[in-house]
Amino acid sequence: MDLQESSVKNLVTKVKQDLLASSQVDVYGLVPPSPYDTAWLSMVSNPQQSDQPLFQGCLDWVLQHQNRGGSWGENIAHPTIECLTSTLACIVALTTWNVGHDAIQKGLAFIHANTEKLLEEQNGSFLEWFAIVFPAMIELAETKGLRVYFSNGSTALVQQVFLERQQIFKTQRWESGCDQQQYYPAGMLKYLEDGLIQFPSAIAYAFMKTGNKEFFVRLNSIVQTCGYGVPTVYPFDEDLVKIHLIDQIERLGLAEHFMEEITSLLGQVYRSYISCEEPKSMAKHALPLQLYTHSLAFRLLRLHGYRVSPRKFCRFLEDEDIVTYIEEYHELFLSAMYNVYRATDVTFIGENQLKDARVFSRRILEKETIKNSANLVRPITMTNLQEQIKHELSIPWLARLDHLEHRRCIERKETLGPWTGNALSYRLLSCQSNATLLQLAIENYTLRQSVFRNELKELERWSKDMGLADMGFARQKTTYCYFAVASTASNSSLSDVRLALVKGAILVTVADDFFDREGSMDELDALANAINRWEPKGLTGHGKTIFNALKDLVDDISGQFFNKNGYDIKAYLQDLWCQTIASWLKEAEWSRNGHAPSTVEYLQVATSSIASQTILLPAAFLLNPPPEIDILKCPQRQPLTNSLMLLTRLLNDIRSYQREQEEGKPNLVLLHMKENPNLGVEESIAIVQKTLDEKKKEFLELALSSNEMPEACKQLHLHCLKAFQMFFNSTNAFDSPTELLADINKAIFDSLRVEDVQGSFMPLNSMQGTLGLKRDKSLAIHGKSHYSSSKPCNGIFESNCAIKVQGNSRKGLVTKPYSRILSVKMRNPIIYPTFSNPKAYI
C-alpha cells in the first residue's frame, strides 16, 4: 500500500469514528452549534439567582468559541452575514454578565472592519431574516450600553437594512402585543403557546418574557441533548441529517468506503418514510423543509433499490392553495424544488405524479435562472444554489458522469443544507465534519486519477501490442472509451472490470469500422467464419489483427473468471461475439446492396449491432457475484440487457443519422422518414426521442427495483447507459475530435482546484494545513473548532461614524416561525460621529 492509499484509508477510519461510529448516528453530534442561539440561552438568568446565568456552560461556550478575527460563527471560505448577527448576539451575552471584555472589544472591531464588505456581498438584496435580526441586535446592544461603530462606507448599507425592515413590517401582518409599540408576526403567539417554535433563541426569549415553565423545560431539554453549544433548530429532523450525510458522502465520491454505514442509515430512513402518516393539511411555514426532506429521501431510497411511493412529496400538487403559495414565494422553495426535480430523475413508467412534479419544479427553478440571466441582484449566499440549479437543468442526470460530478462537488464545496430563504439555518454538518469529508474526497479523487492514468497507459500499451492502434482506417478511441468507463464505474474495486470494458469497447469500435468502411465482403465473411470456428486460419491483414485481439480479450476474461469460480465461460463469450459479428455482417450486406429494411427488421439486427451487450456482459463476469451464465446465450431474453441494447441504439441513431446517411447505412430516423414520407427529419427525431424517453423509465425500474440479477451487474448496466447518454446527449461527441478533451483532462489528468479559506485557488499539495482543522477542547459537550477568520482584524479605521437608534431603552423581541429573534419597533437610525480616538475601543 503506497502513501496515497494509506492516507485515504486513515481518513476513512477517521470519518467512521467521528461521524459514523454506530448504527444510530448522533445527529446532534453532527449538526454544528449556533453561536447566535447559544448566546441567547446564555442570556437567560437563573430564576433562583437572577444575577447568575441559568446555563453557565452556554456562557463558557461563547467565551471559548470566538474566532481569531473577533467574530463568532462558522467560516469556510470567509465570514458570512450570519457572523454579524452571531457576533452581535455573543457580545450582548457577554455584556449581560459583565465578562469577556477583551472578547467584546474584538467582536466590535470585527463588526466595524467587516460590515461594509459583508453587506456589499448581498448586492443590495437582504434576506428577510437578516433585515429583521441585524437591526434588532444593534438595538439590543444599545440597551446594554454598547455602541456599535461602523465605517463610513458601511453606514448607508446599514441604513438600507433598517429601511428594508420597515418595509417588511409594513407589508406583512403584525399583531399588537401588550406594549402598544410592540408587534408580533400574525399567528406568532399561537406558535409559541403550542410549542411549535423550534429555534432555541426564540424559546429562550419567550421564557425570559413570560417565565412559562414549559419553555424552561424545553430549554433544559435542549442543553441536556445537545450540550452547551446548541444548534439552530431543536428538535432536529433526524432523517434530514441522515439523508444529508448520505447525499454528501455520495456526491463527494466516497460511497464505496461507507457502504455498510449507508445501508444501515437508509434502512432507518426507509422505516421512517413508510411509517409516517400523511398529515391532513400542510403547514406552509414547514413545507419547504418537508418537501426537501421527503424528496431527497425518496431519491436516495429509490437509487438504492427500495420500493417507495413519491406521493409523500408530490401530494402538494393536489392543493391549489399550496401551489399558488409556492409560485408566489418561490425563493423560499428553491432547495425544495431543486430536490423535487432531482427526485423525478428516477421516474418509472406510469408515474404521472412524478411527471407533473418535474414540470412544476422545473418551472419554479427556471424562474430563478431567468433572474440570474437578467443580472438581477441576488444575495451572495444564494450563488452556490443557483449554480447547482443551472447545472441540474442544463444536463440530464443520465448524461452526467459520476466522477466529474464528484469533482464539481469537491471544487465548489457544495456542502450547504437546504435553503429556506432565511439564514443558513440548516447547515447540517459542522465545518469540522465537512472539512474532514472534503479532505478525504480530495485525496480519494487524486488517488483515483493516479489509478486511472496507470490503467490508461496499460490499455494504450495493449492496443499497440495487439496492433489495433496502427490500423489506419479505424477511429482511435482508446482514451475516449476509457474516460467514459472510468468516469462511471470509478470505484477502486472495479479495476479489472474497467480494463475489460474498455478493451471490449476498443475492439467494437475498430471491428465496427472494419465492417462499415474498410473490409471487402470477402474479408468480412472470412473474419465472421473464423470467429465462428474460433480459428484464425486463412485470415490476413486487419482481419487477423482483430481476431488476435479478440482472442486475447476472451482468453483473459475467461481465465480470470475460471481462477475465481472454477469453471470456464470461454465458449459463451465466443458465442456472444459471434452474434455481434453476424449483425455487423448483415448491416454490411444491407449497405452494399442498397437494401432499406423495415424499422422492425432493422431493430432486430441493430439492437445487437450496437454491441453495448458485447462490451458489458463479458466484463460483468468479473464482478462479485457475477450474473447467471444464461445471459450470455441470448442477451435479448434478459429484460434489463434487452432494454439497454434498445436504448443505446436509439441514442446512437438520433445523433448519427447524418453521418450514416452519407455512408449509405440504415438508421432508425431515416427508415422512419421513409415509412412516413409526410414527416420531416425533426418530426421523426421527436418520435424516436419520445420512445427513448419512455423506454428509459422502463430501464430505470428494471435497474433499480428488479431482482433478476445481482446489484453490481444492474449498476454496470446503468453505468453503460450513462456513458452512451453522455456521448450522444446533444451531439455525437464520440466522433468529435475535440468536444470531450476538457472533460477528459479533468477526469484523468488535471489536478483539483480547491479554494483555500481566503477564497484563492491553491495547488493540492498545499492544502493539508487548511483542511486538517483541529478541534479545540472546551467546556461545551458539542463544541466547535477555533477557526480563524479570512482576514486578521485591522482595528477601527481613522475615519468612521456610528449608528445609534432612537427609542426607549427596553425593547421587546419576538420571532417568526421561520426566522429568529426579531425587533418589534420600527425606528429610523441616526448617524453621529464617533470619538476622536476610536482605537481606544478595540
Side-chain angles (χ1 to χ4, degrees), residues 414-435:
E414 293 176 352
T415 57
L416 296 181
W419 167 273
T420 56
N422 314 321
L424 300 180
S425 304
Y426 298 99
R427 189 188 297 280
L428 299 176
L429 296 177
S430 68
C431 276
Q432 178 64 43
S433 299
N434 277 325

Side-chain angles (χ1 to χ4, degrees), residues 242-492:
K242 292 172 184 175
I243 61 176
H244 178 75
L245 177 58
I246 296 168
D247 192 48
Q248 281 301 111
I249 288 172
E250 293 192 344
R251 294 179 76 160
L252 288 168
L254 302 174
E256 65 171 313
H257 300 296
F258 305 102
M259 289 310 301
E260 183 179 339
E261 291 80 6
I262 289 173
T263 299
S264 175
L265 289 174
L266 280 177
Q268 299 168 30
V269 172
Y270 174 70
R271 289 188 289 274
S272 175
Y273 189 90
I274 63 174
S275 63
C276 293
E277 295 183 3
E278 292 182 0
K280 294 182 179 179
S281 61
M282 292 175 279
K284 291 179 180 177
H285 75 275
L287 192 57
L289 206 56
Q290 287 177 357
L291 289 175
Y292 178 99
T293 303
H294 293 156
S295 58
L296 181 54
F298 169 84
R299 175 186 170 87
L300 291 172
L301 289 169
R302 181 160 279 192
L303 284 172
H304 284 265
Y306 288 89
R307 293 182 176 272
V308 285
S309 166
R311 176 169 171 75
K312 203 174 189 74
F313 67 91
C314 287
R315 60 188 292 264
F316 76 91
L317 292 168
E318 301 168 6
D319 189 324
E320 292 185 8
D321 186 40
I322 291 293
V323 168
T324 302
Y325 180 76
I326 293 174
E327 290 177 331
E328 184 176 357
Y329 298 100
H330 71 274
E331 286 187 2
L332 302 178
F333 288 86
L334 287 180
S335 280
M337 290 298 105
Y338 169 71
N339 273 290
V340 168
Y341 187 79
R342 290 178 69 214
T344 65
D345 286 336
V346 287
T347 299
F348 296 164
I349 198 76
E351 289 187 320
N352 293 327
Q353 273 190 321
L354 281 175
K355 181 179 179 181
D356 294 341
R358 188 172 185 83
V359 171
F360 179 81
S361 58
R362 185 177 184 95
R363 186 168 75 246
I364 296 298
L365 296 175
E366 284 176 341
K367 286 185 179 180
E368 191 60 34
T369 59
I370 291 171
K371 285 185 178 180
N372 246 358
S373 62
N375 295 319
L376 297 179
V377 292
R378 314 297 295 143
I380 193 172
T381 47
M382 289 181 68
T383 302
N384 197 16
L385 176 58
Q386 289 170 329
E387 288 301 315
Q388 290 181 45
I389 290 171
K390 183 179 178 181
H391 181 65
E392 191 71 30
L393 296 181
S394 61
I395 307 173
W397 168 63
L398 283 174
R400 298 200 296 267
L401 302 182
D402 295 346
H403 181 60
L404 287 179
E405 290 295 291
H406 300 157
R407 180 181 183 120
R408 185 178 190 276
C409 187
I410 293 168
E411 290 186 332
R412 298 183 63 81
K413 299 182 181 179
E414 293 176 352
T415 57
L416 296 181
W419 167 273
T420 56
N422 314 321
L424 300 180
S425 304
Y426 298 99
R427 189 188 297 280
L428 299 176
L429 296 177
S430 68
C431 276
Q432 178 64 43
S433 299
N434 277 325
T436 303
L437 284 174
L438 184 61
Q439 184 175 352
L440 172 57
I442 289 170
E443 299 202 17
N444 188 65
Y445 192 93
T446 305
L447 176 61
R448 279 183 179 172
Q449 285 186 308
S450 176
V451 171
F452 291 171
R453 288 192 291 271
N454 290 334
E455 290 178 355
L456 180 56
K457 288 178 183 177
E458 181 178 341
L459 288 164
E460 289 171 338
R461 184 166 54 249
W462 176 83
S463 181
K464 185 175 181 62
D465 291 345
M466 290 293 103
L468 299 175
D470 303 317
M471 301 286 276
F473 66 87
R475 292 168 289 176
Q476 299 303 311
K477 295 295 181 180
T478 299
T479 303
Y480 272 39
C481 293
Y482 183 76
F483 158 68
V485 169
S487 295
T488 51
S490 54
N491 285 3
S492 59

Side-chain angles (χ1 to χ4, degrees), residues 525-721:
D525 283 330
L527 178 57
N529 291 330
I531 291 175
N532 279 325
R533 300 190 313 267
W534 207 247
E535 167 58 54
K537 185 177 180 180
L539 288 178
T540 59
H542 298 318
K544 186 175 182 179
T545 300
I546 292 170
F547 181 90
N548 289 339
L550 176 56
K551 183 178 183 302
D552 181 85
L553 174 60
V554 169
D555 287 349
D556 181 28
I557 293 175
S558 59
Q560 289 188 60
F561 183 85
F562 181 84
N563 292 336
K564 292 179 181 177
N565 300 279
Y567 61 96
D568 200 347
I569 60 170
K570 182 181 293 186
Y572 296 98
L573 298 179
Q574 293 169 359
D575 186 56
L576 179 65
W577 274 94
C578 284
Q579 296 172 40
T580 305
I581 293 290
S583 67
W584 287 336
L585 189 61
K586 175 59 69 174
E587 289 188 344
E589 292 173 355
W590 287 344
S591 297
R592 298 178 194 207
N593 295 331
H595 175 66
S598 68
T599 54
V600 173
E601 182 185 9
Y602 170 74
L603 286 174
Q604 288 174 343
V605 174
T607 52
S608 178
S609 68
I610 192 65
S612 54
Q613 78 286 0
T614 315
I615 296 169
L616 180 141
L617 292 179
F621 279 84
L622 300 180
L623 294 168
N624 185 24
E628 295 292 332
I629 202 166
D630 287 346
I631 197 173
L632 291 174
K633 297 177 182 178
C634 186
Q636 293 88 342
R637 292 179 182 174
Q638 213 298 323
L640 180 59
T641 306
N642 186 58
S643 178
L644 176 68
M645 294 164 66
L646 174 61
L647 291 175
T648 50
R649 170 49 67 189
L650 297 182
L651 283 165
N652 177 86
D653 282 19
I654 289 174
R655 300 302 173 199
S656 302
Y657 74 91
Q658 289 175 314
R659 176 176 63 83
E660 291 173 340
Q661 185 176 35
E662 293 170 359
E663 296 175 354
K665 292 181 59 178
N667 175 286
L668 184 60
V669 172
L670 303 175
L671 293 173
H672 186 273
M673 290 173 60
K674 186 175 184 299
E675 293 179 356
N676 300 273
N678 59 319
L679 298 180
V681 63
E682 295 301 327
E683 293 166 306
S684 291
I685 289 175
I687 291 171
V688 176
Q689 182 68 52
K690 184 177 180 181
T691 301
L692 174 65
D693 292 340
E694 288 302 303
K695 292 298 181 181
K696 283 179 186 175
K697 296 175 185 177
E698 292 181 4
F699 173 89
L700 286 173
E701 186 163 10
L702 291 167
L704 300 177
S705 293
S706 72
N707 298 315
E708 296 181 358
M709 65 174 63
E711 187 64 32
C713 190
K714 292 192 296 182
Q715 284 297 308
L716 203 61
H717 279 72
L718 182 57
H719 295 331
C720 185
L721 178 61

Side-chain angles (χ1 to χ4, degrees), residues 206-216:
F207 175 67
M208 286 190 284
K209 297 299 289 184
T210 68
N212 189 308
K213 290 183 179 179
E214 291 184 10
F215 298 142
F216 176 80

Side-chain angles (χ1 to χ4, degrees), residues 10-58:
N10 291 337
L11 280 168
V12 168
T13 300
K14 176 176 174 56
V15 170
K16 289 186 176 185
Q17 291 174 343
D18 293 352
L19 304 184
L20 301 161
S22 67
S23 59
Q24 296 294 327
V25 172
D26 176 16
V27 295
Y28 291 102
L30 297 177
V31 176
S34 162
Y36 182 87
D37 291 84
T38 302
W40 273 97
L41 263 70
S42 71
M43 293 184 217
V44 179
S45 61
N46 190 325
Q48 307 300 322
Q49 195 172 358
S50 60
D51 62 344
Q52 296 295 322
L54 178 61
F55 301 112
Q56 178 65 44
C58 291

